[in-house]
């Protein structure tokens, strides 16, 4: 028999399902003063209740991860635009058949960048293989932004070994959905970037940044700054793809201008091989 808590939770879930069904049918919900405050979407989405929404986005993913034994993660960032090798090769084949020079150039770039996808996939497999038969306290789980590209690759590698993998997705105007390799019960969706960033850091035991764009840079510098200012404990910060990162970022300029100290360059390291990245993390924690 269901206990009282289960019955109450079911009633609340049913109430929300009814409201969702109402909205799905195209019927706008009307403000209702008599509706319970915590079951009132109009109330919860008001500007004045933003603080409550912050709390909920902090609490829900945290409770779910605790319940499923996710205590330590390896966070992998990287471009959402780098395809899997098989997709890149197919696109190149079609481009060549079309004879379109611009399409062939784009497809060629995708093939080149697909190498990073495969390396992220291999790295995810290494982490998952290590953790699969470890005691819960020693397990490390791959955590990504849940999207396509490099994120998908890292989740995919862990998924292929049969180990749970986390995705912290974000609601965007062009509606990004979670990739199919994130464990469904660990696939979370955020509205607020700030809360999503906090969840990345709360359990992170290392950050591996593959080549990426603004989002990757944003997360990378967030972590470097937190460690530099000692607002977060030191963790391995690994820049995968030394050629890419050294062409993109000239840290020597920051030293020359006195914006950072030479010692700050020790906060991260460059690697070009999944095994070297994993070995750096193992060495740091003496695994």
């Amino acid at each position: 028999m269901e206990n009282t808590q289960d019955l109450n939770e079911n009633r609340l879930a049913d109430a929300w399902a009814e409201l969702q069904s109402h909205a799905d049918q195209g019927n706008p919900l009307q403000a209702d003063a008599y509706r319970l405050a915590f079951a009132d979407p109009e109330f919860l989405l008001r500007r004045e209740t933003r603080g409550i929404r912050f709390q909920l986005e902090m609490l829900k993913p945290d409770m779910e991860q605790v319940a499923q034994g996710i205590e330590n993660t390896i966070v992998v960032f990287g471009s959402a635009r780098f395809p899997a090798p098989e997709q890149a090769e197919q696109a190149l084949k079609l481009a060549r058949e079309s004879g379109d020079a611009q399409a062939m150039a784009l497809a060629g770039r995708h093939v080149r960048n697909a190498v990073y996808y495969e390396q992220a996939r291999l790295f995810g497999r290494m982490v998952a293989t290590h953790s699969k038969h470890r005691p819960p306290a020693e397990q490390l789980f791959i955590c990504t932004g849940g999207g396509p590209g490099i994120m998908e690759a890292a989740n995919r590698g862990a998924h292929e070994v049969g180990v749970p993998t986390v995705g912290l997705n974000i609601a965007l105007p062009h509606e990004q959905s979670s990739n199919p390799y994130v464990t469904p019960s660990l696939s979370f969706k955020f509205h607020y970037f700030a809360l999503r960033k906090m969840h990345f850091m709360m359990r992170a035991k290392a950050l591996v940044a593959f080549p990426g764009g603004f989002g990757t840079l944003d997360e990378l510098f967030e972590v470097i700054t937190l460690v530099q200012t000692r607002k977060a404990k030191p963790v391995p910060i690994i820049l995968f793809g030394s050629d890419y990162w050294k062409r993109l970022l000239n840290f020597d300029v920051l030293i020359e201008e006195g914006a950072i100290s030479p010692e700050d360059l020790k906060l991260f390291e460059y690697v070009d091989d999944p095994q070297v990245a994993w070995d750096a993390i193992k060495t740091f924690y003496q695994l």
Side-chain angles (χ1 to χ4, degrees):
M1 294 181 62
E2 293 181 297
N3 60 35
T4 302
Q5 181 178 351
D6 290 336
L7 288 171
N8 288 338
E9 289 177 348
N10 287 341
R11 288 176 186 140
L12 288 173
D14 289 343
W16 272 106
E18 182 179 352
L19 290 171
Q20 183 63 51
S21 176
H22 194 73
D24 289 343
Q25 294 170 14
N27 301 317
L29 293 170
Q30 303 298 323
D32 186 347
Y34 195 67
R35 189 181 293 145
L36 291 170
F38 52 80
D40 187 338
E42 288 81 9
F43 172 70
L44 288 178
L45 294 176
R46 291 177 60 138
R47 179 180 180 277
E48 296 88 344
T49 57
R50 183 178 294 154
I52 298 172
R53 297 196 298 275
F54 283 178
Q55 294 178 53
L56 292 174
E57 283 210 343
M58 173 58 70
L59 188 60
K60 179 182 176 181
D62 186 42
M63 290 178 63
E64 291 296 329
Q65 288 180 85
V66 168
Q68 296 179 61
I70 308 297
E71 294 296 335
N72 305 302
T73 61
I74 303 295
V75 176
V76 178
F77 293 125
S79 177
R81 304 183 184 188
F82 290 179
E86 59 271 22
Q87 295 172 330
E89 291 292 346
Q90 179 63 21
L92 180 59
K93 178 183 177 182
L94 294 174
R96 285 172 174 168
E97 291 174 355
S98 72
D100 185 326
Q102 185 175 359
M104 284 191 286
L106 178 60
R109 187 178 70 193
H110 282 323
V111 169
R112 184 177 72 248
N113 288 333
V115 172
Y116 291 119
Y117 181 105
E118 187 60 24
Q119 290 170 327
R121 180 181 175 185
L122 290 173
F123 177 77
R125 288 179 66 92
M126 290 174 185
V127 175
T129 300
H130 167 85
S131 297
K132 189 169 186 177
H133 301 296
R134 297 280 174 177
E138 298 178 13
Q139 291 178 328
L140 295 164
F141 298 93
I142 290 292
C143 175
T144 77
I150 295 299
M151 296 173 282
E152 174 186 295
N155 290 133
R156 182 177 177 178
H159 173 81
E160 289 169 342
V161 181
V163 172
T165 179
V166 184
L168 307 182
N169 216 288
I170 187 78
L172 298 173
H174 48 274
E175 194 54 36
Q176 173 181 292
S177 59
S178 182
N179 72 66
Y181 302 106
V182 175
T183 302
S185 60
L186 294 169
S187 181
F188 304 102
K189 186 176 183 179
F190 290 82
H191 176 74
Y192 298 106
F193 271 102
L195 273 298
R196 182 176 180 245
K197 288 181 178 182
M198 290 191 69
H199 275 287
F200 275 129
M201 286 303 298
M202 283 169 61
R203 290 173 167 79
K205 293 299 180 285
L207 166 70
V208 182
F210 281 78
F214 289 149
T216 301
L217 290 170
D218 177 43
E219 301 292 355
L220 171 64
F221 282 110
E222 182 95 22
V223 176
I224 291 177
T225 302
L226 288 171
V227 175
Q228 180 203 41
T229 57
R230 295 182 173 83
K231 295 292 287 185
K233 293 181 180 179
V235 297
I237 301 173
I238 297 170
L239 304 186
F240 196 104
S242 58
D243 178 66
Y244 179 91
W245 289 110
K246 289 178 180 179
R247 284 190 297 125
L248 180 66
L249 302 170
N250 187 349
F251 289 107
D252 290 335
V253 172
L254 296 177
I255 295 175
E256 291 168 6
E257 297 298 332
I260 64 172
S261 301
E263 293 76 22
D264 289 334
L265 295 187
K266 297 178 182 178
L267 295 174
F268 55 86
E269 62 181 293
Y270 300 99
V271 304
D272 293 294
D273 181 88
Q275 186 63 58
V276 175
W278 177 229
D279 287 343
I281 295 170
K282 290 196 297 181
T283 298
F284 186 92
Y285 291 108
Q286 299 181 338
L287 298 180

